[in-house]
Amino acid sequence: MDARDRVVEALAVEGERIAAAGSEAELRPWLAAGARVVDLGGHALLPGFIDAHGHFPGAGIYALVADLNSPPIGRVARISDLLGTLAAQASDTAEGEWVLGMGYDDTLLAERRHPTRRDLDAVSSRHPVAAWHVSGHLAALNSLGLARLGIVAGTPDPPGGRIRREPGSGEPDGVLEESAMEPLQALLEPSPLAAWRIVRRASSLYLAAGVTTAQNGYATPVQMRGLAWLARLRLLPLRLVLWPGEEAAGALLDGSLRLASPDARRLRLGAVKLVADGSIQGYTGYLSRPYHVPPGGDPGYRGYPRMPRDELRARVGRFHAAGFQVAVHGNGDAAIDDILDAFEAAQREHPRPDARHVVVHAQMARDDQLDRMLALGVIPSFFSLHTWYWGDRHRAIFMGPERAARMSPARSALARGLRFTIHCDSPVVPMEPLRLVWAAVNRRSSGGALVGADQRIPVMAALRAVTRDAAWQHFEEREKGSLEVGKLADLVILDRNPLDDPTGIDRIRVLETQVGGRVAWRAPDREAGP
Ligand SMILES: [Zn+2]
């Protein structure tokens, strides 16, 4: 994965870094010097995968909350399954304590709707219950849960959010959108012991998938303190880049918070993360043209921004002026317009070369917006697994076939020479970089449809987007992302070379993952090397 995409036969590691790379003959002097030899036996060695955007350690949350995912990820096929899973969780939870579940997807449930307060009241009347939508942008609560949050018929919708109501009465129906569900976030701040269990689970999932650098794409002050504490205790077995969310970023600016990292190679601060809209499959992505099948019978419905355009501009400008890299979540093209306007204004007022601001997801980025990104030095980070997990529904429901065909437009970016990254947004979907690469290369939906043949990219480009370009996005291109002399020996051994069979990349197995030249994970059936 060097600048020329060279493939070498042999690699030497000394301490935590790569000391040599080349042909077997070129590395022969290392043998004479007594190097231990690991024969890969024809397997493939790649730089460890780098998460461009996700929410570590969110993938470990199922150590604590009910798993409400539908197939192909989980087992919840209908609302009765969801209620049964939550009821089992309730039976293990003390009365009065919250019962939490995550990952349900209304468009994959047989009923094609969200669970309501009345559904969830059947789980328990003695526990407050909250079920997070797979997007993380909506949640459904039972009556006791709503009461705990103080939400009643007369509660107005908060700015940037919505309390869905029952028709007629104005009573909340249980579903909270966007900022209306923010009070729930506090419930996800676990005790130190629970936090460690979550981190341990997430770390092993990531390492087993070949990920050596994880990313937290919206860290709260509590998470920042907690993860720094675990890093100091050497309980983080992989590297982590933290993106402070707005509260944490504000606290960093006013000096009330600092990231006490013991070692910037293990834990470091990245971009400030802001959010401009929601998710298209949650009908909260902000589009310039209406949704294909609009919700609630409003044919002009285009979703909505998380905040007014001027406010986004002020917030981006503040963090840009303070020297931060800024990453803004934007799925709909109307949101992306607002984000690019904000980046452009920030650069006009405080010119900063090489700021590497990021549009996170950039799902419906238009060609003119990719041109603007190139001109502004902005990086789109695509959630390319959308074609696999939601491709059929984007075609049939949300976007229609024409717009769905050019979502996550990686090929258009590549054709312009616009550097991009791709990500899993874990725990939104499982951390599987090889399935992610496969999705960007093949663009097949789980129903078997080809979603936008023109936007498929070559394997090498997809691999770069999870290695060297992801390192570059994190300002770590000197340390990571390729197998070059002087870089950290973050390595993954795969059973097959991804270049050999582009359609089978999702079936490649990870055999071993090394962080800084030390084995951090090894497949159970793989023998220890010499
Ligand atoms: Zn995210």
Side-chain angles (χ1 to χ4, degrees):
M1 307 305 305
D2 69 2
R4 287 175 294 145
D5 291 340
R6 266 188 327 143
V7 175
V8 299
E9 282 180 317
L11 198 77
V13 172
E14 193 165 37
E16 62 171 5
R17 291 188 185 268
I18 296 167
S23 68
E24 210 177 309
E26 284 169 319
L27 268 80
R28 203 150 288 147
W30 288 82
L31 287 184
R36 281 190 311 138
V37 178
V38 179
D39 182 350
L40 293 180
H43 297 310
L45 181 76
L46 272 77
F49 300 128
I50 296 172
D51 187 13
H53 174 73
H55 299 273
F56 182 91
I61 196 76
Y62 296 110
L64 296 186
V65 308
D67 182 349
L68 303 178
N69 280 284
S70 293
I73 297 174
R75 294 194 194 144
V76 170
R78 50 185 53 80
I79 285 178
S80 59
D81 298 338
L82 179 145
L83 302 179
T85 306
L86 287 168
Q89 182 87 354
S91 68
D92 279 346
T93 305
E95 224 175 276
E97 300 283 317
W98 281 87
V99 171
L100 306 176
M102 281 191 168
Y104 84 86
D105 186 333
D106 55 306
T107 66
L108 286 178
L109 297 172
E111 294 85 352
R112 295 280 189 278
R113 64 172 178 83
H114 293 267
T116 64
R117 162 168 78 92
R118 292 177 195 283
D119 294 321
L120 294 169
D121 283 346
V123 170
S124 175
S125 56
R126 295 183 180 151
H127 299 85
V129 177
W132 266 258
H133 188 255
V134 64
S135 66
H137 290 263
L138 299 91
L141 281 72
N142 71 346
S143 296
L144 188 53
L146 290 169
R148 284 281 179 91
L149 300 189
I151 293 174
V152 295
T155 308
D157 289 351
R162 195 154 78 94
I163 299 166
R164 292 198 187 172
R165 321 272 171 171
E166 292 173 350
S169 71
E171 289 284 336
D173 80 354
V175 177
L176 306 178
E177 297 181 5
E178 302 294 335
S179 66
M181 60 170 282
E182 258 163 26
L184 284 175
Q185 294 307 120
L187 299 177
L188 294 181
E189 288 186 344
S191 68
L193 187 62
W196 179 62
R197 281 173 57 204
I198 292 170
V199 165
R200 202 172 49 168
R201 169 87 70 103
S203 301
S204 64
L205 289 169
Y206 276 49
L207 289 167
V211 178
T212 50
T213 296
Q215 205 268 344
N216 180 317
Y218 198 96
T220 62
V222 170
Q223 285 177 336
M224 288 190 37
R225 288 194 195 95
L227 289 163
W229 179 74
L230 289 171
R232 283 200 297 281
L233 295 176
R234 298 181 168 275
L235 292 173
L236 277 183
L238 36 58
R239 308 183 195 280
L240 179 58
V241 178
L242 283 180
W243 284 0
E246 236 180 327
E247 185 193 354
L252 287 166
L253 273 190
D254 72 23
S256 59
L257 177 71
R258 67 186 188 89
L259 181 68
S261 170
D263 178 350
R265 283 165 304 185
R266 302 299 293 206
L267 178 69
R268 51 177 289 280
L269 202 61
V272 169
K273 170 73 175 297
L274 305 174
V275 180
D277 74 345
S279 84
I280 287 173
Q281 71 276 17
Y283 279 123
T284 56
Y286 179 37
L287 296 166
S288 65
R289 289 189 289 136
Y291 279 79
H292 184 60
V293 178
D298 169 9
Y301 182 78
R302 300 191 291 121
Y304 53 88
R306 229 2 226 268
M307 65 189 82
R309 159 184 307 234
D310 289 346
E311 181 158 350
L312 179 66
R313 195 166 147 167
R315 294 190 196 186
V316 167
R318 175 185 180 216
F319 293 114
H320 171 89
F324 277 102
Q325 183 186 20
V326 182
V328 188
H329 165 119
N331 274 312
D333 61 328
I336 297 169
D337 279 332
D338 289 358
I339 295 167
L340 295 177
D341 287 351
F343 286 156
E344 194 174 79
Q347 283 288 16
R348 205 165 40 234
E349 281 150 32
H350 295 271
R352 245 177 72 198
D354 205 21
R356 298 189 203 178
H357 296 325
V358 182
V359 180
V360 179
H361 308 319
Q363 188 175 351
M364 298 315 302
R366 303 181 310 257
D367 281 346
D368 63 291
Q369 293 177 323
L370 297 175
D371 291 336
R372 278 186 86 188
M373 290 183 206
L374 189 63
L376 291 167
V378 166
I379 307 161
S381 186
F382 300 119
F383 188 170
S384 296
L385 275 162
H386 255 275
T387 41
W388 165 245
Y389 285 107
W390 290 277
D392 298 318
R393 285 164 287 154
H394 282 308
R395 281 155 55 97
I397 306 171
F398 305 115
M399 294 288 101
E402 184 197 320
R403 275 183 295 180
R406 65 171 318 296
M407 66 178 166
S408 314
R411 186 66 185 232
S412 298
L414 193 63
R416 285 167 169 73
L418 172 62
R419 267 212 221 187
F420 61 90
T421 60
I422 57 178
H423 61 254
C424 297
D425 206 7
S426 218
V428 176
V429 302
M431 174 49 91
E432 296 178 309
L434 288 164
R435 187 186 296 283
L436 171 65
V437 165
W438 170 87
V441 167
N442 294 283
R443 291 183 69 102
R444 284 276 166 199
S445 71
S446 55
L450 181 56
V451 187
D454 303 351
Q455 292 297 341
R456 289 177 296 182
I457 56 172
V459 177
M460 222 37 195
L463 288 173
R464 274 201 300 272
V466 293
T467 55
R468 62 181 294 129
D469 290 345
W472 178 77
Q473 183 202 284
H474 289 321
F475 284 95
E476 295 188 298
E477 69 273 19
R478 285 172 200 280
E479 293 280 46
K480 299 175 186 172
S482 62
L483 303 181
E484 292 181 271
V485 173
K487 289 200 178 180
L488 291 165
D490 293 354
L491 311 171
V492 57
I493 301 171
L494 306 179
D495 72 339
R496 279 177 290 143
N497 181 349
L499 296 173
D500 289 347
D501 173 18
T503 61
I505 296 170
D506 57 329
R507 295 191 298 274
I508 293 177
R509 288 180 59 223
V510 173
L511 299 179
E512 187 172 302
T513 305
Q514 298 194 8
V515 178
R518 303 175 85 147
V519 176
W521 184 86
R522 182 177 276 145
D525 56 345
R526 181 176 162 82
E527 285 181 26

